[in-house]
Amino acid sequence: MLPAPRNYAIYPQVVLADKPTEMTIVPTERAFLLFEGKEYNVIVTTLDDDETDYHDGGTCHHKLTAVAHDGVLRFSYTFPAEGEHLIRFEYKEQKFFELHVFSLYKDLYRLRPVRGDLHSHSYRSDGRQDPAAAMGHYREQGYDFYTLTDHNRYYPGGEVDEVYDGVKLGITRVKGEEVHAPGSVVHIVHAGGKSSVADIYIHDKDRYDREIAEYESRVPASIPERYKGRYARAMWVTDRIHEAGGIAIFAHPYWRPGASKVYNVNNEFTRILLTSGMFDAFELVGGQTQVGINRCVALLMELREEGFKIPLVGSSDVHGMENVSSFPHMFTICFVKENENDAIIDAVKQFNCVAVEATNNEYTRHYRCYGSFRLVTYAQFLLKNYFPNLQRICQGEGIAMRTYAFDDASKSLIEAQVKQTDNYRLRFFGKKAPALPTAAIHAFEEKWRAVHMEGPTAKGSLVHMDPPNRQI
């Protein structure tokens, strides 16, 4: 469900904490230009400030006035500490609009939040989408990165790169594959590496057998005999992933061994693998039911008491995009320097990521986020105020990508829409000035407001409060 359109926006919406910032409230549509010289109240409440008195209905912490010019309202404010702030926008002491701002300390402010999937499949293995078209579907849903991890197949990613070669895209393809080492039930997602691991045992089985024999001799004595062969193969796979420059993700840990899928990992072996140190991330959210995720959380809480920590990621493990609960409802938010392969991988390794699952209710969407308290708090703000609005803009971009992949659209169509998404992102995070009403827009609105003033005084529009009043 896309967010409802709003009449006003505030820029930037993410700011540097404890530093004066120039804020601008702008109309999002022509009819809502603010009136020249009119005075408005701006009331700022820091949501984590415990000085607010609950019993008096909420004390406004800071109230200031600002005068509208050129159809917008500008004011300067220093947002304290790190957290969310509510901006109430008033005219003649009557609340008119609410907006939200998040302030960050410098280390996190420098990083860009990107939403993506680290585990997905295409028609080149057992999925139901064309690889290049799938990336367009992801962008249409507002994703910033997409990892194609077909079973034992690294090469379909090259197909995606060839289709979009030379086109500036707003979405990044993270390299990947899902590795099923022969003789093992453990599936391991390889994300970000520069070469294939599966190609080794597919094209040079003798090498694989020799190396596995050597790895079996290195399995710690503490590993139960029944698991040693699988443990050795997991060691081999994760070492090869690291040699390729990727991360090894322990995927779908709670597929049940007693179910129809015979390649699942039982509870005991799950704990052994997780605490082995060979994995870089744990797919806590991964195309599974909430029951499975709850069990994962319970296990992680126990392991945390023992001093164990591992980055958490969310993925869809999507095979088809029709009538599925995991796409686009299970994903990862990474906080990166740039939206590119290596930076995304580094963000996961450095715990700069949050695993997310969303309800797929058509009308009300709720998110459960898993990660550090600081990042989860920020992610919840972004999931309400940034990512849904970004998706609105990305829809056309994703559709253009799929059409282009079928030779029915131009490169320039995609790139024009990428520019729009870039502009929104840069303005949201204060990296670019907001778009202001032009002289032509002012002239247009003044003309039609004059016509409106001659209209009826009854409630035929929002403009009815005073003798024919123009919308603030």
Side-chain angles (χ1 to χ4, degrees), residues 308-429:
F308 172 78
K309 289 179 65 179
I310 191 170
L312 305 176
V313 298
S315 300
S316 67
D317 189 14
V318 70
H319 287 69
M321 294 179 176
E322 184 178 1
N323 299 322
V324 294
S325 61
S326 62
F327 176 80
H329 309 298
M330 296 183 173
F331 51 88
T332 300
I333 298 174
C334 289
F335 300 89
V336 300
K337 294 178 180 177
E338 298 290 340
N339 185 23
E340 54 88 28
N341 184 95
D342 291 353
I344 292 165
I345 297 308
D346 286 344
V348 175
K349 291 194 289 189
Q350 294 167 16
F351 289 82
N352 282 333
C353 57
V354 171
V356 183
E357 57 165 333
T359 61
N360 58 350
N361 185 303
E362 183 180 358
Y363 302 105
T364 305
R365 183 159 294 169
H366 299 287
Y367 296 94
R368 297 183 182 95
C369 300
Y370 306 92
S372 72
F373 179 79
R374 183 189 188 195
L375 293 184
V376 165
T377 302
Y378 182 32
Q380 291 282 6
F381 171 84
L382 295 169
L383 287 163
K384 180 179 179 180
N385 296 282
Y386 173 63
F387 287 116
N389 292 317
L390 180 70
Q391 186 199 346
R392 270 190 170 274
I393 310 170
C394 287
Q395 286 186 102
E397 190 180 324
I399 294 168
M401 285 175 62
R402 296 202 310 277
T403 309
Y404 174 86
F406 216 66
D407 288 342
D408 194 29
S410 66
K411 165 185 171 180
S412 61
L413 176 62
I414 297 174
E415 294 184 343
Q417 299 198 58
V418 170
K419 184 176 181 180
Q420 295 299 313
T421 55
D422 280 348
N423 284 342
Y424 172 71
R425 173 179 59 83
L426 292 171
R427 288 165 178 153
F428 189 93
F429 295 101

Side-chain angles (χ1 to χ4, degrees), residues 95-371:
K95 186 177 83 169
F96 184 66
F97 219 73
E98 287 188 351
L99 302 157
H100 294 259
V101 170
F102 204 97
S103 54
L104 294 172
Y105 293 130
K106 189 177 295 183
D107 61 331
L108 190 50
Y109 181 73
R110 289 172 173 169
L111 301 180
R112 171 183 170 183
V114 291
R115 173 187 177 208
D117 199 335
L118 290 161
H119 184 178
S120 70
H121 298 281
S122 80
Y123 190 69
R124 298 305 183 204
S125 63
D126 59 345
R128 293 187 288 279
Q129 307 298 147
D130 169 84
M135 191 155 82
H137 284 292
Y138 271 92
R139 189 56 173 165
E140 185 180 352
Q141 293 294 334
Y143 281 68
D144 299 293
F145 67 89
Y146 154 70
T147 314
L148 180 56
T149 55
D150 275 329
H151 301 281
N152 293 316
R153 293 164 175 85
Y154 182 87
Y155 62 81
E159 180 178 340
V160 178
D161 295 343
E162 183 176 339
V163 168
Y164 298 114
D165 184 39
V167 183
K168 179 184 177 182
L169 301 176
I171 183 170
T172 294
R173 184 183 76 82
V174 176
K175 304 175 190 299
E177 61 187 340
E178 185 168 355
V179 183
H180 310 170
S184 174
V185 297
V186 184
H187 290 192
I188 299 173
V189 167
H190 166 203
K194 305 303 190 293
S195 60
S196 173
V197 172
D199 280 354
I200 298 172
Y201 53 75
I202 289 171
H203 300 296
D204 193 351
K205 185 66 161 50
D206 289 342
R207 171 192 166 183
Y208 172 76
D209 289 339
R210 288 194 307 271
E211 292 183 358
I212 289 300
E214 191 270 330
Y215 268 79
E216 287 178 338
S217 69
R218 292 164 41 191
V219 173
S222 59
I223 303 301
E225 187 66 32
R226 63 181 292 208
Y227 300 131
K228 286 189 174 179
R230 284 173 276 170
Y231 190 94
R233 285 160 175 78
M235 290 171 60
W236 181 89
V237 170
T238 54
D239 280 353
R240 299 294 81 75
I241 289 174
H242 295 147
E243 285 177 1
I247 55 172
I249 302 174
F250 188 2
H252 37 62
Y254 278 112
W255 282 354
R256 309 295 289 275
S260 60
K261 295 179 173 64
V262 296
Y263 39 81
N264 300 335
V265 181
N266 68 20
N267 294 337
E268 181 182 32
F269 195 34
T270 292
R271 182 183 286 265
I272 289 170
L273 288 175
L274 262 183
T275 57
S276 68
M278 66 177 78
F279 289 95
D280 303 288
F282 182 62
E283 192 180 81
L284 174 67
V285 176
Q288 57 196 15
T289 65
Q290 179 60 35
V291 172
I293 295 171
N294 282 344
R295 297 179 68 217
C296 291
V297 171
L299 174 61
L300 287 168
M301 290 177 66
E302 289 184 0
L303 293 177
R304 195 172 182 84
E305 292 177 359
E306 300 169 13
F308 172 78
K309 289 179 65 179
I310 191 170
L312 305 176
V313 298
S315 300
S316 67
D317 189 14
V318 70
H319 287 69
M321 294 179 176
E322 184 178 1
N323 299 322
V324 294
S325 61
S326 62
F327 176 80
H329 309 298
M330 296 183 173
F331 51 88
T332 300
I333 298 174
C334 289
F335 300 89
V336 300
K337 294 178 180 177
E338 298 290 340
N339 185 23
E340 54 88 28
N341 184 95
D342 291 353
I344 292 165
I345 297 308
D346 286 344
V348 175
K349 291 194 289 189
Q350 294 167 16
F351 289 82
N352 282 333
C353 57
V354 171
V356 183
E357 57 165 333
T359 61
N360 58 350
N361 185 303
E362 183 180 358
Y363 302 105
T364 305
R365 183 159 294 169
H366 299 287
Y367 296 94
R368 297 183 182 95
C369 300
Y370 306 92

